[in-house]
Amino acid sequence: MTLDSKIPSGPLAEKWTKHRAELKLVNAANKRKYHVIVVGTGLAGASAAASLGELGYNVTAFCYQDSARRAHSIAAQGGINAAKNYQNDGDSVYRLFYDTIKGGDYRAREGNVYRLAELSNNIIDQSVALGVPFAREYGGYLDNRSFGGAQVSRTFYARGQTGQQLLLGAYSALSHQVGLGQVQMNSRHEMVELVVINGRARGIIARDMVTGELKRFIADAVLLCTGGYGNVYYLSTNAKGCNTTAIWRAHKKGALFANPCYVQIHPTCIPVSGDHQSKLTLMSESLRNDGRVWVPKKAGDNRPAGDIPEEERDYFLERKYPSFGNLVPRDVASRNSKMVCDEGRGVGSSRQAVYLDFRDSINRLGKDKIEERYGNLFQMYEQITAENPYSVPMRIYPAIHYTMGGLWVDYNLMSTIPGLFVLGEANFSDHGANRLGASALMQGLADGYFVIPYTLGGYLASGGIDKTTTEHEAFVEAENSVKSLVDKLLNIKGKESVDYYHKKLGKIMWNKVGMARNENGLKEAIQEIRAVRDEFWQNVKVLGSADELNQSLEKAGRVADFMELAELMTVDALHRKESCGGHFREEYQTEEGEALRDDENYAYVAAWEFAGVGKEPVMHKENLMYENIQLSKRSYK
Amino acid sequence: MNLTLHIWRQKDARTKGKFVIYKVENVHEEMSFLEMLDILNEQLIAKNEDPVAFDHDCREGICGCCSLYINGRAHGPKRGITVCQLHMRHFKDGDSIWIEPWRARPFPVLKDLIVDRAPLDRIMQAGGYISARIGSAQDANTILIDHDTAESSMDAAACIGCGACVASCKNASAMLFVAAKVSHLGQLPQGKLEREKRVLAMIAQMDKEGFGGCTNTKACEAECPKEIKITHIARLNREFLRASVV
Ligand SMILES: Cc1cc2nc3c(=O)[nH]c(=O)nc-3n(C[C@H](O)[C@H](O)[C@H](O)COP(=O)(O)OP(=O)(O)OC[C@H]3O[C@@H](n4cnc5c(N)ncnc54)[C@H](O)[C@@H]3O)c2cc1C
Ligand code: FES
């Protein structure tokens, strides 16, 4: 298989315009003859479903929550980037493009990233038109803040609830289309299988999560907008239901999975406090605008933060990276926090934390200003830790947050299965080996509002989609395979719960395929993952039946997929003998402990083909071409 | 700490439910309320008993999934938070805790503590939007919005659609939910053009779904995890009146 990224030829800045002009169109009257399935209603899915509905396509949308508005995009706090240059501080489409490529440690495609930067401005316009109440300056103009990896202020925000507001904007547009009958919304429905007919994606099997019924849905194209797979680690900042099921099952049906080992570990999360912990809470990156990260200079210093004098504090990010200071990209900040903790300089009872201190900003700007900027985050922190961050510094530690890897897609967002498109965090496309803050919201909405309406039309108008029905044997087979999977899970009747195995898997992944990886650890991880997976299939206990609301069964299906994905992530991490972005191999670092890339051998996308559970997957390479940017050492010093 | 839980168990929408008593042991004060329920569920599974079903997802107070009525209060005893943000340090050893689903006629129980809140979505589909064609928006700074209007709109937009307002209202009114959306969109210049149509359509749908009217008891305001104020209901009433006469 040769992977064709379908990046249009011509100058970078003209690629998208040219491509749009060349794409075939579906005429207005014909759009209503086409049926499109959109799985997921986060920023990517809601914006796609709304846009396609508005264009006149018949859309059927799905989400596993009880309402489309509850997709995990709702939890994004800090903001969304755009190259508006409203601050007159030197921003431009090119600079956003450059920062994103560099931030991704030169492992993303130039063409895609440039398009993303180009579309970023339209997103802000569109969102404002839909009623997103972004923060405003007193003159009435939109306000901005800064995020990591950028020296300009280009992040738009709505308090600490930017994702919520953007999603509610897209959800309202979606609701409008549902009201008009253009979109049929199926909440509490989980996609459990992809249906491929004559090599094309033609439908899905979804489980009605209230009745347990398996339903067949047919379409001319299927869009997966199902979010990231960070929950493979059990503990992450993702919502409890976030899963890999949709993309994993599509992968098993032939869609290649790209760069699965690229995982983002977010530096500022509330540290783990005990075994009972069910999820980790993020403290937005925006806090690093005004908070200073430090640990005591001396290992094992037990004094309370306030008793440690200035000269005995190590503001290690400011010290090591004077030009970006506390606003270095996430991978750099996370790794440095881990390093100081490994040196015994961590704080708090577990010693697995560093301080994020607002003392100086409160003195400089006043408590009110800090409260206006971050009030809800401070409150959230206090709820969880019972400590008041206005008077004592926050304790933070890195946590799994985002997955840059995902299904491989070309410039049109189409996977290796014709008719199967993948949008948002579920695809691999734009962030390389590390995503910059405030860029995921941007990508989700760019994909849904502005890319797919064109590229989907191009696919449909090219023809070749046969007539078929849900009686086709592929539908029958897909439904039967889900049935037997469900039966199998219910009939193991073992001794341990699904969560037990999920936690076990998560520990292996965090310890060996987490923030720092090495060859031995990864090899061990593969064996350990296989062992837990075998044990899971022999000893998991899933109570209840298939034909009822059964949350254990839902979890079991998701964890079963994580068990397989985990192995692929590890294989990918093992094969990539370099450090880049979120993928840090201990064997490949500079003397100062910075990631050491190997552009000569690894400047490619690793796209994996499924070969069977426990079988070595087949790798396909897409070489990354840099025509506009010179690959260089990523420095934030 | 050790606790006694009285939990509403109900097989499905058609079956009658009842309270069942459970003991949970070794609850730590830094656990969240939902983590305490996780522990209970692990204990139930170990005994081959059906775990308690409850809605949850983000576990950080923003998705609006979690929806428990605890000791007679939506989202439990603390103000301004959802139940997933509630921590066990607010309870003490030996406490008895009653846990119920949202109770309101438009929200039928689907199982145990899970209810169907689809009526709230239908109210949104009836009019909770601005009709802005995708792709044709003008530059975002063309229409200026003063700081205070944006902030006030954001106060209302913070609604997470959890339905606590409905559950805590003796009339099962959805007025705070509708008011929040009408107030969020109606204050913005972009949302003003459709304000009459919006408020009439949303109220009509609210009535059709069987939600009650507002009699100003303010229970919704007291229980709203996002502390949305009933002044938004006053604004809703004004908008409704205005739309009815023009
Ligand atoms: C706590 C937190 C804070 C963040 N803050 C920021 C930020 O400030 N800025 C930024 O740019 N990014 C941020 N991110 C990242 C960003 O929020 C996500 O990457 C992005 O929102 C993902 O959007 P999405 O549409 O791809 O997926 P999601 O929003 O995760 O939506 C997934 C959808 O798919 C559905 N789904 C999943 N599986 C199935 C299935 N099998 N069947 C049916 N439906 C399914 C779900 O119901 C849901 O509707 C943050 C992430 C987290 C976790
Ligand atoms: S689980 Fe999301 S608000 Fe409680």
Side-chain angles (χ1 to χ4, degrees), chain A residues 81 83 90-106 108 113 117 147-154 324 329 430-431 434-437 439 442 629 634 636:
Chain A
N81 287 331
D91 203 4
S92 63
V93 167
Y94 186 84
R95 189 177 291 275
L96 175 55
F97 154 74
Y98 177 80
D99 287 349
T100 308
I101 291 272
K102 175 181 169 197
D105 220 352
Y106 305 94
V113 176
F147 257 53
Q151 286 169 310
V152 294
S153 198
R154 62 158 77 98
F324 283 72
D430 296 357
H431 308 293
N434 172 59
R435 173 177 71 80
L436 287 184
S439 294
M442 170 170 80
I629 280 188
R634 196 169 64 129
Y636 292 95

Side-chain angles (χ1 to χ4, degrees), chain B residues 90-162:
Chain B
H90 303 298
F91 296 87
K92 51 182 199 308
D93 188 39
D95 274 358
S96 284
I97 307 176
W98 271 260
I99 309 172
E100 298 172 70
W102 282 174
R103 303 229 186 249
R105 194 154 39 105
F107 292 167
V109 173
L110 297 175
K111 182 174 182 177
D112 297 340
L113 303 169
I114 298 182
V115 298
D116 181 7
R117 287 173 286 192
L120 298 182
D121 278 329
R122 289 193 290 268
I123 293 175
M124 289 289 291
Q125 288 151 16
Y129 50 78
I130 293 172
S131 313
R133 182 159 272 288
I134 291 154
S136 56
Q138 60 190 332
D139 183 89
N141 261 345
T142 317
I143 304 177
L144 300 184
I145 303 177
D146 71 276
H147 174 271
D148 295 354
T149 303
E151 291 297 307
S152 166
S153 168
M154 181 61 212
D155 286 340
C159 169
I160 57 172
C162 64

Side-chain angles (χ1 to χ4, degrees), chain B residues 16-210:
Chain B
K16 249 182 104 168
K18 62 169 193 293
F19 280 104
V20 178
I21 299 176
Y22 300 99
K23 299 258 182 225
V24 263
E25 285 158 15
N26 291 325
V27 174
H28 299 289
E29 58 176 30
E30 72 271 21
M31 283 180 186
S32 73
F33 196 87
L34 298 186
E35 285 164 356
M36 185 273 293
L37 288 180
D38 291 342
I39 292 193
L40 170 72
N41 277 342
E42 288 297 299
Q43 289 174 9
L44 291 176
I45 293 169
K47 290 192 285 187
N48 291 327
E49 286 178 41
D50 199 18
V52 179
F54 59 92
D55 258 331
H56 65 100
D57 203 24
C58 74
R59 295 205 175 189
E60 53 185 66
I62 192 74
C63 72
C65 281
C66 62
S67 41
L68 303 181
Y69 216 67
I70 300 169
N71 291 342
R73 296 189 60 181
H75 292 301
K78 294 282 289 176
R79 277 196 113 138
I81 54 170
T82 54
V83 58
C84 59
Q85 295 175 290
L86 178 64
H87 277 70
M88 295 313 290
R89 68 178 80 94
H90 303 298
F91 296 87
K92 51 182 199 308
D93 188 39
D95 274 358
S96 284
I97 307 176
W98 271 260
I99 309 172
E100 298 172 70
W102 282 174
R103 303 229 186 249
R105 194 154 39 105
F107 292 167
V109 173
L110 297 175
K111 182 174 182 177
D112 297 340
L113 303 169
I114 298 182
V115 298
D116 181 7
R117 287 173 286 192
L120 298 182
D121 278 329
R122 289 193 290 268
I123 293 175
M124 289 289 291
Q125 288 151 16
Y129 50 78
I130 293 172
S131 313
R133 182 159 272 288
I134 291 154
S136 56
Q138 60 190 332
D139 183 89
N141 261 345
T142 317
I143 304 177
L144 300 184
I145 303 177
D146 71 276
H147 174 271
D148 295 354
T149 303
E151 291 297 307
S152 166
S153 168
M154 181 61 212
D155 286 340
C159 169
I160 57 172
C162 64
C165 47
V166 177
S168 43
C169 174
K170 66 181 162 75
N171 308 323
S173 171
M175 284 285 266
L176 192 62
F177 171 79
V178 175
K181 193 44 59 184
V182 165
S183 179
H184 156 212
L185 297 178
Q187 289 186 70
L188 299 171
Q190 290 83 358
K192 283 214 159 83
L193 289 173
E194 293 167 283
R195 64 201 278 203
E196 291 90 9
K197 193 167 149 261
R198 176 180 313 118
V199 68
L200 294 175
M202 291 181 80
I203 293 278
Q205 189 65 31
M206 180 183 92
D207 291 342
K208 197 168 144 198
E209 299 287 352

Side-chain angles (χ1 to χ4, degrees), chain A residues 472-606:
Chain A
H472 190 283
E473 63 186 54
F475 272 98
V476 179
E477 244 168 58
E479 187 180 321
N480 286 341
S481 77
V482 177
K483 262 199 198 118
S484 56
L485 179 75
V486 167
D487 283 347
K488 197 167 155 195
L489 286 167
L490 289 170
N491 286 316
I492 298 169
K493 297 192 197 293
K495 291 211 161 44
E496 300 290 354
S497 69
V498 178
D499 276 359
Y500 170 87
Y501 286 110
H502 195 176
K503 284 183 188 173
K504 231 172 150 170
L505 176 71
K507 278 220 176 83
I508 303 171
M509 295 301 286
W510 176 246
N511 290 333
K512 298 191 168 158
V513 200
M515 239 185 307
R517 307 155 172 189
N518 62 55
E519 182 168 336
N520 279 341
L522 291 166
K523 285 183 172 158
E524 283 161 20
I526 293 180
Q527 297 311 319
E528 291 170 26
I529 292 164
R530 288 182 178 167
V532 202
R533 190 169 63 217
D534 290 345
E535 200 190 315
F536 172 87
W537 282 109
Q538 275 158 28
N539 196 34
V540 75
K541 185 197 292 190
V542 185
L543 300 173
S545 67
D547 53 3
E548 60 174 344
L549 198 163
N550 186 340
Q551 291 179 316
S552 307
L553 179 61
E554 291 160 17
K555 272 197 267 188
R558 293 171 193 162
V559 172
D561 293 332
F562 282 140
M563 294 273 181
E564 294 174 10
L565 166 67
E567 185 173 330
L568 181 66
M569 290 168 70
T570 315
V571 167
D572 187 39
L574 186 60
H575 114 279
R576 190 167 280 279
K577 293 191 166 69
E578 64 161 351
S579 293
C580 58
H583 170 64
F584 190 74
R585 283 283 300 265
E586 285 166 340
E587 306 94 314
Y588 310 100
Q589 51 180 311
T590 64
E591 270 170 24
E592 299 120 334
E594 304 290 339
L596 193 60
R597 267 190 358 248
D598 176 355
D599 292 332
E600 210 165 301
N601 295 304
Y602 289 96
Y604 62 78
V605 174

